[in-house]
Amino acid sequence: MTIRFVHVASNMEQVCPRCKTSSYQKPNMKLMVNTCGHKLCESCVDSVFIRPSAACPECGVALRRNLFRLQQFEDSFVEKEVDIRKRILKDYNKSADDFLSLREYNDYLEEVEAIIYNLSNGYDVEETRQRVEQYKRENQALIMRNRARQLRYGQVLSTQLEVERVEQELRNKRALEEEQEVARSRQRQKDSIIDELNVNQEREWTTVAFSMPDALRSPCQ
């Protein structure tokens, strides 16, 4: 009787939906995703997207090859929602300072979440995209200003983090030097005590030797 072992894919494995290659079969396999959120392995991207653009094998949405990126999340919906959120927030980049009241700012945040929800779930997609394009046209100057502000803030934050990193390294270095100095000081004290004990012992032996009778000190004479 011949026994055949069949490998059953586990939930931890990654599988390309097109060629069915799994990470078990090909441990170094990389899965890529695009704006629609559906994943493809690198080999399938190379074979399907010979030209700069092609349709997604799963949903048929037209995709550009240069927009493929490494998959970050196992759930394709989460991957899609995160990508849409990043793209929307690049333009919807207002802060509370851009509004006269907190109520207006909260309404703006709710509108942003509604846009992301619609695009992620496929609701009123065309209408929602038109709203986004209209917003970009009407707020072009503000969008660019806020992008520049965010860039400056990012640069300041990066510089601040670098300064903090250097200061932390200096603190760690000083702490290490202090620990080493304490260790050396303890060793010096230990050596001093040992030296003092040796000197005292030599003195005691010398004293004892001089106090002994001549006959005991020179038994062979």
Side-chain angles (χ1 to χ4, degrees), residues 95-140:
S95 65
D97 296 335
D98 296 316
F99 297 88
L100 298 177
S101 68
L102 181 61
R103 175 64 181 273
E104 291 181 356
Y105 181 52
N106 288 333
D107 290 342
Y108 164 79
L109 294 179
E110 290 182 3
E111 179 185 6
V112 172
E113 289 302 318
I115 290 172
I116 295 173
Y117 180 84
N118 287 352
L119 295 178
S120 300
N121 292 274
Y123 296 143
D124 301 326
V125 174
E126 190 58 35
E127 179 182 345
T128 302
R129 286 177 177 169
Q130 291 177 3
R131 284 171 55 193
V132 172
E133 292 302 319
Q134 181 179 353
Y135 173 86
K136 290 164 65 175
R137 288 193 299 269
E138 294 175 352
N139 297 272
Q140 184 176 6

Side-chain angles (χ1 to χ4, degrees), residues 43-58:
S43 298
C44 286
V45 171
D46 291 337
S47 60
V48 173
F49 290 83
I50 299 175
R51 296 182 178 179
S53 63
C56 172
E58 285 202 46

Side-chain angles (χ1 to χ4, degrees), residues 182-199:
V182 169
R184 287 192 293 267
S185 177
R186 289 176 178 174
Q187 186 62 43
R188 287 193 296 268
Q189 291 177 0
K190 181 179 178 181
D191 293 341
S192 177
I193 293 173
I194 293 174
D195 291 342
E196 185 176 352
L197 290 174
N198 290 334
V199 170

Side-chain angles (χ1 to χ4, degrees), residues 1 4 12 30 35 44 47 59 82 88 101 119 121 123 142 175 179 211-212:
M1 181 177 65
R4 299 182 62 186
M12 298 298 293
K30 295 180 181 179
T35 54
C44 286
S47 60
C59 64
V82 169
I88 292 300
S101 68
L119 295 178
N121 292 274
Y123 296 143
L142 181 59
E179 290 178 2
S211 64
M212 292 173 61

